[in-house]
Every structure is written in structure tokens, then in C-alpha cells.
Amino acid sequence: MNLHCDLHSHSTVSDGTLSPTELILRAHEKEVEVFALTDHDATEGLKEAALAADKVGLNFVPGIELSVTWSHQTIHIVGLGINPDDEILNRGLQVLREFRGRRGEEIALKLEKKGLEKPLEGAKKFANGEILSRTHFARYLVEQGKAKDIRQVFKRYLVKGKPGYVAGKWASLEDALSWIHGAGGIAVIAHPARYKLSSTRLRQLIAEFKELGGLGFEAISGSHSPDEELRMAQLANKFELYVSKGSDFHSPENVYRELGYLPDIPVGSRPLWHSDAWKERIGDFT
Ligand code: AMP
Ligand code: MN
Ligand code: MN
Ligand code: MN
């Protein structure tokens, strides 16, 4: 029942600060048994991570965290057990990255108006590859002394209603699920309590997600409080979704919760790795 797993994490390929190999070594050190790398809108780290995991004997699950716009709101959908080379998925990712590039320019213009110098160049200095994230802007603003930490930067500059905010135009929920399923993966609603959706809207999201063949619900998340975890696990049960868990680890300096340090799936909930889909596509860990 209680597998020591962590099914949500980020590397330097998106907005994390550890390379895929460093991340795998850290997971191994923390005695994680099953580990997924789920970079934002990118699969480039998956081969390196799989090789590193193989060397240390860690069960690795290739994953992704897709940015989705659902009902004017940004939602994240994790895909687990995906084929990194799937063509349709990669074509979709290309579109998301192009939006990231355009949005980065818009964010930079807005921050310049607030007196920041060369914010685009600054953010890019913190980005490793194709993915330009708000986190990279946040790291630059911290470096520039505009706030004490990343969380403060988001609050002051990068969220809705703040000077550097640009609305997301991401994938549709339908496209995201079809890309994940087409690439052989299992879809999971990431950190459901983070969106601050009303209970009606969250139920609506779940209903649409299920209709599209979605299976997992990340009730146990490094960004949830214990109370949120319990409420989200109950909601998963009600909608007959399988519960997933992930730290959403980004960096050793900036932890919601340490990689791998997550509570057990509550009694009465069904862990995602008990699903037939998981057993067929990823392996049997029961
Ligand atoms: P993006 O996909 O570029 O819009 O950036 C989203 C990322 O920013 C998330 O995956 C988090 O890593 C980070 N993020 C979002 N909100 C916050 C926050 N309030 N504090 C710290 N990091 C945040
Ligand atoms: Mn992130
Ligand atoms: Mn997320
Ligand atoms: Mn994440």
C-alpha cells in the first residue's frame, strides 16, 4: 500500500536547480523507491534521468507536467509513464514553448516599466534551455534585491493583479490528455488544492478530466497542507480517482517539502500504482 515514491519533480530542464542526474542521486539518497521527473512542458531530461536511475537501481517513471488553460485558469496536468519521443506530444510542447517565449517578452516589458533593468536577459541567465518560466524571472528579481525570496517575488510581481503578470494561453484540457494518452501515459491532476477553485468548479474540472479518461489526483502534494491532503483524498474517493503523490521538488534551497518526504496515502484511498493502467504501463509495485 505504502510505496515510498515521489511522482512530481523538476530539474534544470524546466525550473528546477538540479540536473536530472543530480535529482536521481538525491532521490536515491532519500531512499525513494519509485521516482518521476515531471518537468514543465519538456521531456529533454528524461533520457539522462533514466540512465542515472538505471545505474543506482532506482525505479524511474518518465513524466511531464503540462500547462493547461481551463476555464480561464491555469491548471497543471502531470503525465506519468510517457514516451518522451512521441511526435504529437512533442509538437504540442513546441507550441507551449513558443507561448512561453512570447510571454517572457511581455513580462519583461512590464517589469522594465517598473524600473527593472534587462529582465529578459536576467531571467534567461537562470534558464538552462527551452523553458522560460516565471521562476526564472523570480530568481533574477531576488538577485536584484527586489524581494527576499522567490515566494515574495511571486506575490509582489508575478501573480494576477501584479505588475509583471501575463495571462496564460496554454493547452486545452482535451489536448493535454490526448497528448499524454497518445504517448502511453497516465494523466493526473497536479496539486488540486493549489488552484483555489470553488468546490463547484473543482468538481466540474474533475468531471471533465474523468470524461477525457483522466485517472489520477495528486491529493498528496508537497504544496498541500495536511488538511488539504485529507480533503483532496476524500474528493478523489468520491470521484473514484486514484491518488498520486509528489513533492513538486524544485531545489534544495527552496523546498515545500523535501524530495521523497511525503505522507502515506490515507487509508481508504486507492493509490495510483494499484490501477491496472499503472501496472500495465509502468510496472507492478504492489
Ligand atoms: P510558469 O509555468 O512559468 O507560469 O511558472 C509556474 C511555476 O512558478 C510553478 O511551477 C512554480 O514552480 C512557480 N510558482 C508559482 N507560483 C509560485 C509562488 N507563489 N511561489 C513560488 N513559486 C511559485
Ligand atoms: Mn515549477
Ligand atoms: Mn505545478
Ligand atoms: Mn510542478
Side-chain angles (χ1 to χ4, degrees), residues 40 65 76 191 194 248:
H40 298 284
E65 182 174 19
H76 288 168
H191 42 65
R194 273 251 295 277
D248 206 356

Side-chain angles (χ1 to χ4, degrees), residues 131-143:
I131 298 295
L132 183 59
S133 161
R134 279 186 294 165
T135 310
H136 301 127
F137 281 96
R139 293 202 178 111
Y140 177 62
L141 265 67
V142 171
E143 187 197 66

Side-chain angles (χ1 to χ4, degrees), residues 167-223:
K169 289 192 186 71
W170 305 112
S172 67
L173 188 64
E174 193 176 359
D175 281 347
L177 266 76
S178 93
W179 298 342
I180 290 170
H181 293 149
I186 297 172
V188 179
I189 297 180
H191 42 65
R194 273 251 295 277
Y195 311 119
K196 307 289 176 213
L197 294 171
S198 69
S199 129
T200 311
R201 291 232 300 154
L202 183 53
R203 281 156 202 261
Q204 204 179 341
L205 170 66
I206 294 172
E208 284 182 35
F209 175 76
K210 278 203 71 161
E211 188 74 19
L212 295 166
L215 211 64
F217 200 62
E218 197 180 66
I220 309 296
S221 161
S223 66

Side-chain angles (χ1 to χ4, degrees), residues 101 104-105 108 112 117-125 132 137 140:
E105 287 170 16
E112 272 169 22
E117 275 176 41
K118 298 193 184 294
L120 190 58
E121 291 79 352
K124 281 184 175 169
K125 237 178 28 183
L132 183 59
F137 281 96
Y140 177 62

